[in-house]
Amino acid sequence: MTTTLPGSLLNGLNTLLGWACACVLLLTPLLGFAQGFAAYITPPRFEVKATPGQPLRQVFEIQHVGQLKGGYRVYTNDWTFQADNSVAFSDELAPESCRPWVAIERRELTLEPGARYRFRFEINPPAGTKPRECRFAIMIEGLDPARSGVDVGGRIGVIVYAAVGDAAPVLNLTATRVVKAGDGKNVAMLDVRNSGNAHGRLEGYVNAVDATGQTLEMTPADIPIMPGETRGVALSPVVGEGKTAPEVRFPLVVKGTLEWGKNRLPLDASFAP
């Protein structure tokens, strides 16, 4: 289970705040605002590398944006990425969970309105750990509203991926297809297989021409492909700020190269309903 960091370690962590920010993938901050729960969390996701036998220290920031003093509980969860691209959290230790390697700074904290707090945690894979990916979530949950201005109904999960040793994804395109979205529109889908031992993501831009001759720039959905799984990754048109998404007419021809890490995935495909 999760442990709490000793005071001596916390002092050492103070010198690592700037370094930690350079080691994470920064995305849009998470905002929790449900039934009184009001907090920004940044970064909302960590993608880091860890070495067996060496502690890896990281920091994220909690900003309390409620109008009253806010109390929070902090703990770890295991999680799974579902077929519908949702995340399911679990308090119980999953098989081969790495949460016993995780230490968090504290389990509860109280913040004044507008206050920010740098929360520290550590991942310490045991010496001799074979290459693998350690995945867990740090949950920030509002305490009993009788004790603070934050309602227990809200919580946020900060997702952590730590590649231990030389763990890495190996992504291959297995199929292309067209699916119907919830609004009835066609969507170009890539089926991508990950035969590696860490999650991967497709990135980049490709060029497309639809049935009307319209030229488009398209990009893959930012979703993780877990080790040992095949997942559908949607291609969507790139839309400029303040602009409306273009109407895509199928069949669609797509050419270009996507990337995963330092690797490339060539794409030359036709999508027809």
Side-chain angles (χ1 to χ4, degrees), residues 21-42:
C21 292
C23 292
V24 302
L25 178 63
L26 290 177
L27 300 174
T28 303
L30 287 175
L31 169 63
F33 199 96
Q35 298 178 338
F37 180 79
Y40 280 106
I41 310 294
T42 184

Side-chain angles (χ1 to χ4, degrees), residues 114-136:
R116 299 171 184 264
Y117 188 88
R118 291 179 178 266
F119 192 94
R120 305 149 197 174
F121 67 97
E122 177 183 286
I123 309 166
N124 194 357
T129 299
K130 295 181 179 180
R132 57 162 291 187
E133 185 169 67
C134 170
R135 296 189 296 271
F136 61 95

Side-chain angles (χ1 to χ4, degrees), residues 117-224:
Y117 188 88
R118 291 179 178 266
F119 192 94
R120 305 149 197 174
F121 67 97
E122 177 183 286
I123 309 166
N124 194 357
T129 299
K130 295 181 179 180
R132 57 162 291 187
E133 185 169 67
C134 170
R135 296 189 296 271
F136 61 95
I138 299 178
M139 312 301 293
I140 300 94
E141 182 178 271
L143 288 172
D144 186 337
R147 298 169 53 190
S148 73
V150 175
D151 196 290
V152 73
R155 68 174 185 172
I156 291 175
V158 176
I159 302 295
V160 181
Y161 305 83
V164 180
D166 60 0
V170 178
L171 303 185
N172 290 286
L173 180 65
T174 62
T176 59
R177 55 194 171 98
V178 177
V179 300
K180 287 285 187 183
D183 59 4
K185 294 182 179 180
N186 290 322
V187 176
M189 188 75 68
L190 308 176
D191 287 336
V192 182
R193 175 72 179 172
N194 184 356
S195 56
N197 54 7
H199 86 290
R201 296 174 191 270
L202 288 181
E203 300 176 327
Y205 303 92
V206 289
N207 297 316
V209 179
D210 75 357
T212 69
Q214 176 182 210
T215 59
L216 303 161
E217 188 176 39
M218 305 191 78
T219 190
D222 180 26
I223 60 173

Side-chain angles (χ1 to χ4, degrees), residues 33-63:
F33 199 96
Q35 298 178 338
F37 180 79
Y40 280 106
I41 310 294
T42 184
R45 184 175 83 207
F46 286 76
E47 294 182 338
V48 296
K49 291 186 175 293
T51 301
Q54 297 183 18
L56 175 67
R57 296 148 187 166
Q58 299 289 287
V59 178
F60 61 88
E61 184 176 86
I62 304 171
Q63 181 185 6

